[in-house]
Amino acid sequence: MGKAVAVDVLAGDEDWFIAQAQHAGVAITHVIDTHVHADHYSGGRALARRASAHYCLHESARDIVAFDFEPLRDGQRLDVGNVKIEVLHTPGHTLDSMCLLVKDARRGDAPWFVVTGDTLFVGAVGRPDLAGRERDMAGLLWDSLHNKLLTLPNEVEVYPGHQAGSACGAGLSGKPASTIGFERRWNSALNMDRGSFVEQLVASIGPRPSDMDAIVAANTSA
């Protein structure tokens, strides 16, 4: 049906997304940020305006941002042509974090891949301290990982928001993608009980990004 979705757009990349959509002969109908970002300036709203698309965040971001957006809720499904997207609310990195489970109706009903934002990385998980309350947030992250992502089939592909070098987690792999099954077996953070996970994750937190406050202010202001 010639429709497309853009996810976690960096400010300055809007022209690239528009050019790619034109090259593919599709219209961008939704622009989604998996959470309110603290490590980069979002280009999501700017792209949505230019593409006349819906700009989407999880509904809990109403308590964070000072502008209108299309709220997404846990379990909601978006039909974008043959692409079917299920919203998974996965708080932990932030309270509004969500993952996007994608199906391709041309191939079958089984989920194909999951866009995990800053919740699950290849070889690591997201940091839980950006909003404070790091121990509580780490517990929420464990719940999200085990009650949402690790219930998915092993063959589901994983596409995270960052790779090695990001300040949003510790020990990220440089590999851009993985599968639920590989992470289930080899990601050490996924093989701990809840208490051990919280203790180790809190102990591994690195320095906060130096310009985080300015970035968050820009990404939440009207």
Side-chain angles (χ1 to χ4, degrees):
M1 296 179 67
K3 298 180 179 181
V5 176
V7 180
D8 287 343
V9 176
L10 274 65
D13 284 354
E14 297 90 347
D15 286 344
W16 183 89
F17 277 89
I18 289 172
Q20 292 300 308
Q22 291 174 342
H23 179 73
V26 298
I28 298 172
T29 61
H30 296 75
V31 181
I32 302 174
D33 270 325
T34 56
H35 60 292
V36 175
H37 298 283
D39 67 315
H40 67 267
Y41 293 97
S42 171
R45 281 186 286 165
L47 177 60
R49 285 193 296 269
R50 291 179 59 181
S52 298
H54 300 286
Y55 175 67
C56 308
L57 291 166
H58 184 260
E59 60 184 355
S60 61
R62 289 193 184 105
D63 299 328
I64 305 171
V65 305
F67 52 82
D68 292 330
F69 61 90
E70 180 168 320
L72 302 179
R73 65 185 183 276
D74 185 49
Q76 182 176 347
R77 289 174 170 81
L78 301 177
D79 287 334
V80 189
N82 285 315
V83 174
K84 315 297 181 184
I85 301 172
E86 181 179 352
V87 177
L88 306 178
H89 185 210
T90 52
H93 176 64
T94 63
L95 287 172
D96 63 311
S97 288
M98 59 183 173
C99 299
L100 305 174
L101 183 63
V102 179
K103 298 179 181 179
D104 182 352
R106 298 170 302 176
R107 303 180 68 187
D109 293 331
W112 177 13
F113 64 88
V114 60
V115 177
T116 55
D118 290 11
T119 297
L120 175 63
F121 300 122
V122 178
V125 298
R127 62 188 295 167
D129 67 307
L130 296 181
R133 299 170 43 216
E134 57 265 21
R135 298 183 70 85
D136 290 341
M137 295 295 285
L140 287 176
L141 183 58
W142 191 95
D143 295 339
S144 293
L145 291 165
H146 286 265
N147 297 334
K148 294 285 182 68
L149 295 182
L150 290 181
T151 66
L152 299 175
N154 283 337
E155 63 270 17
V156 171
E157 298 168 13
V158 173
Y159 293 96
H162 298 289
Q163 301 170 35
S166 170
C168 289
L172 283 68
S173 171
K175 192 173 185 293
S178 185
T179 65
I180 290 293
F182 195 88
E183 294 306 302
R184 190 195 311 276
R185 180 172 181 182
W186 298 109
N187 188 329
S188 61
L190 303 182
N191 292 288
M192 304 179 192
D193 60 56
R194 196 174 191 272
S196 299
F197 176 90
V198 170
E199 294 299 327
Q200 181 158 320
L201 190 58
V202 170
S204 69
I205 294 172
R208 292 159 68 92
S210 59
D211 52 353
M212 188 188 86
D213 291 340
I215 293 173
V216 171
N219 288 341
T220 57
S221 63

